[in-house]
Amino acid sequence: MKINVTDQAGEKHELEGLEGWRVMEVIRDWGLNIKAECGGALSCATCHVYVDGEWLDAVGAPSDEEEDMLDSVGDVKSNSRLSCQILCSDALDGLTLTLAPSAAKD
Amino acid sequence: MSTEITTDVVVIGAGPCGLFAAFELGLLDIKCHFIDILDRAGGQCAELYPEKPIYDIPGFPVVTGQQLTDNLMAQIAPFSPEFHFSRMVNSLEKLEDGTFKLQTDADETFYTKVVVIAAGGGSFQPKRPPVPEIEQFENKSVFYAVRKMDDFKDQDVVIVGGGDSALDWTLNLEPIVRTLTLVHRRDAFKAAPASVNKMKELVADGKVNFQLGQVAKLDGENGQINHVHLTTDAGDLSIPATRLLPFFGLTMKLGPVADWGLELNDNTIVVDTEKFETSVPGIFAIGDINYYPGKLKLILSGFHEAALMAQAAKAIISPGERVVFQYTTSSTKLQKKLGVA
């Protein structure tokens, strides 16, 4: 599956996603600019992304716990998600998203 | 009042790897002091996921971050390490005699033969919201913590966030400010229900202004804000404000470590894999903060690194002394040190 990511600088990247991986893990492994501080424990919100509108239904809504974590960043939009909570699957082949400013490394 | 402490080892960071270093050092009769920016031991484990299960600690099919911390504290208790919490090491200097001088933001000076940096992802610091040019207002009119209540007396205060800090300071500051606006992105709060109820009463009484939204921009000059601009569902909103308190929790930054002249690799400290020593002899780095080819950021890697570091530290602290490697299962000497023989 493919994941299309626009980084904070506006540069576009096509990443190869692996079934069952978290989207955060794919973005991190490709060396893009996300901090992913807690490693996927849903404890930090430093893998914050904006999911492209046409993919919102396929990705689904965030859990209450994810919403709580999104409270800890100041650039949340209606399409905000934590990429550690999105699992790669064939249904998400072509997923398009943008890295949020608050996800950037120092 | 300034304090001076002389010791064998200063460990910067009281997370799992730092704590286990105290055990390995203790077996070699080395005394250590911990310095940590948090107010308790455990580091990322205790701060970010105290209740979450960890499955890859040898011998524990499952253990939470807090349980692991508690067990490590019990394990190192026989060596009585000393903890200095809620302070940060501001500077580190190598003296002519080869020892190190460290100074903290709590006005303490440590003199030590060895420094072990076990600071994980760095030091925990308040999250800065992505608001343009917020840096120029920080510590003048934008604060990430309340140090002195008087700084907020008769001020127009905007507090941002929905957690305990935001709600606690809304309740504590409301009686002394001129105006107080609480800003949160949604009408649901992660804070204690009693605090949320009290805040809602203050809003109903007109004593606190609650706004759904997010901070987009700050107006002001010479470090002093005069307006906070919000983005809300109903459109942009400008609020007169002289103080802003964003409460978005903590994140990790390398901090002053970056200025200590150590060889770095992308916000991590380069070490060798024999001793886990940095580019400056006598300064070691273990756990998530170090880098070497093949590095895995796992707690168990940090434990291994702590054991090898301790052997090398012993050679610096007691030069010329022959160290016989012993096992805790069979060595009466080690068992006496642990208080079990």
Side-chain angles (χ1 to χ4, degrees), chain B residues 4-22:
Chain B
E4 286 192 1
I5 294 167
T6 302
T7 183
D8 290 330
V9 176
V10 168
V11 182
I12 302 170
C17 300
L19 294 177
F20 191 65

Side-chain angles (χ1 to χ4, degrees), chain B residues 232-259:
Chain B
T232 78
D233 287 346
D236 293 346
L237 189 67
S238 175
I239 301 173
T242 56
R243 295 284 183 272
L244 174 68
L245 280 164
F247 289 116
F248 289 107
L250 301 171
T251 187
M252 286 182 285
K253 294 187 175 181
L254 196 54
V257 175
D259 303 323

Side-chain angles (χ1 to χ4, degrees), chain A residues 35 41 44 67-68 71 76, chain B residues 52 127 185-186 214 252:
Chain A
K35 200 170 180 189
C44 73
E67 285 283 11
D68 284 347
D71 286 345
V76 176
Chain B
K52 298 216 169 172
K127 271 187 191 171
R185 74 176 182 98
R186 59 191 179 123
Q214 294 180 91
M252 286 182 285

Side-chain angles (χ1 to χ4, degrees), chain B residues 145-212:
Chain B
V146 176
R147 302 280 182 215
K148 281 191 298 181
M149 295 266 286
D150 253 12
D151 290 341
F152 298 85
K153 195 175 176 191
D154 300 324
Q155 300 290 324
D156 297 311
V157 178
V158 172
I159 293 177
V160 191
D164 282 311
S165 297
L167 271 287
D168 288 350
W169 285 113
T170 296
L171 303 183
N172 288 334
L173 292 176
E174 182 277 325
I176 66 163
V177 300
R178 186 162 51 211
T179 63
L180 196 151
T181 303
L182 174 65
V183 178
H184 186 41
R185 74 176 182 98
R186 59 191 179 123
D187 195 13
F189 298 86
K190 209 167 49 171
S195 303
V196 177
N197 290 338
K198 188 109 188 276
M199 178 274 291
K200 285 183 175 170
E201 282 172 24
L202 291 172
V203 172
D205 291 346
K207 292 177 176 170
V208 167
N209 172 29
F210 175 63
Q211 287 293 340
L212 279 170

